[in-house]
Amino acid sequence: MQNIVVTGGSGAIGSTFVSELARRYPQARVHCLSRGPAAAASPNIRCLQVDYETEDSLQAAAEQVAQAGAVDLVVVAGGILHQHDIMPEKSLREVSAEKFLTLFTANTIAPALIAKHFLPLQPRDRRAVFAALSARVGSISDNHLGGWYAYRASKAALNMVIRNAAIETRRRNAEAIVVGMHPGTVNSNLSRPFQRNLAAGQLFSPEVSVARMLDVIDRLEPEDSGHCIAWDGTRIAP
C-alpha cells in the first residue's frame, strides 16, 4: 500500500488504525483525518482537519489526499453511540428526533459522504479496500434484545450504504472491496458505560481490535464486498 486514509483519526480506534498502519506500511503516506487538530506521531503520517458534515471540507481533503496518488485503503473509524445527554434508548419512551438526527449524521450520513468523495480516488485496475466501522447490533436478523433504536437503525442504514457502494464500485473495478467492519467491544469512551456486564475476554483493547481487523482486511476477497465482517473474519447476517 502506498496511499492510505483514516477518518475519525483522533478517536481510540481511529488513532490506533493510524499508528498501526504507519508501522505496517512505513513507505506509505497515511492521511489522518479528524475534526480537531492532531499531531503526526510518525514521518509518514499526514494530519488533516475535516468537518465531516460539510462537503466542501471533505472535497478539499480528498483533493489533498489525491496529490499522493490513488488511494489503496480507506478506513472510516468515526461514529457515535452516546454523547452528552444522549444515551441508547431502552424503550420507545426514550426515542427522540434529536437522538436520531445526531446518530444518523455521525454514523450514516458522514460515512456516505466520505464514500462519495474518497471512493473515486481508489484505483480502477487493482485491489483497493474501503472499510467503514459498523456494528453487529446493526444486523436486523441478529437483533434479539431490542432497544438502542437510533444506534441500531443508523448502523443498519450504514450497512445499506455499504451494500449500495459495493455494487456501484464493482462496476468500475472488479477487484475493489467495500465492507463494514465490526470491531468487537473495544475499551474506549464509546463502550465505557456498557462494559460492566461483559464476560471475560469480550472486551478488546484498541490495539488488539485494530490488529485483528487489519489482518481481516488483508485477507478480504472481492466476494466479501458489500458485507459486514467481524473482527474474526466472519460475516454478520444483514
Side-chain angles (χ1 to χ4, degrees), residues 57-152:
S57 180
L58 282 170
Q59 183 175 346
E63 290 171 355
Q64 292 185 62
V65 168
Q67 293 174 9
V71 177
D72 302 293
L73 172 64
V74 177
V75 176
V76 182
I80 293 174
L81 172 56
H82 57 88
Q83 178 178 277
H84 306 304
D85 59 343
I86 295 177
M87 291 295 288
E89 310 93 338
K90 296 179 180 179
S91 72
L92 279 169
R93 292 190 300 273
E94 300 173 11
V95 167
S96 72
E98 178 189 6
K99 290 180 181 178
F100 266 77
L101 287 170
T102 299
L103 268 67
F104 265 77
T105 297
N107 298 339
T108 310
I109 297 172
L113 293 176
I114 292 166
K116 173 182 177 180
H117 289 280
F118 286 89
L119 273 173
L121 303 184
Q122 294 194 306
R124 299 193 177 200
D125 57 352
R126 67 178 189 274
R127 185 181 188 273
V129 177
F130 182 100
L133 292 195
S134 187
R136 189 180 298 276
V137 297
S139 166
I140 295 173
S141 61
D142 192 58
N143 182 3
H144 305 292
L145 297 176
W148 292 28
Y149 283 86
Y151 187 72
R152 286 184 185 274

Side-chain angles (χ1 to χ4, degrees), residues 138-230:
S139 166
I140 295 173
S141 61
D142 192 58
N143 182 3
H144 305 292
L145 297 176
W148 292 28
Y149 283 86
Y151 187 72
R152 286 184 185 274
S154 68
K155 290 298 188 177
L158 172 61
N159 291 342
M160 181 59 78
V161 170
I162 289 166
R163 183 67 175 175
N164 273 1
I167 292 170
E168 181 176 345
T169 301
R170 187 181 299 122
R171 294 174 184 148
R172 64 173 181 263
N173 181 3
E175 296 183 63
I177 301 166
V178 181
V179 295
M181 293 293 303
H182 171 57
T185 303
V186 179
N187 188 9
S188 66
N189 289 333
L190 184 144
S191 70
R192 197 151 288 129
F194 315 102
Q195 296 177 7
R196 183 178 303 172
N197 298 320
L198 288 175
Q202 288 189 340
L203 183 65
F204 301 148
S205 69
E207 291 77 15
V208 167
S209 175
V210 166
R212 289 175 173 175
M213 285 190 286
L214 285 176
D215 289 344
V216 170
I217 287 172
D218 285 344
R219 299 193 302 268
L220 290 174
E221 300 289 344
E223 55 264 29
D224 294 313
S225 193
H227 293 277
C228 185
I229 314 292

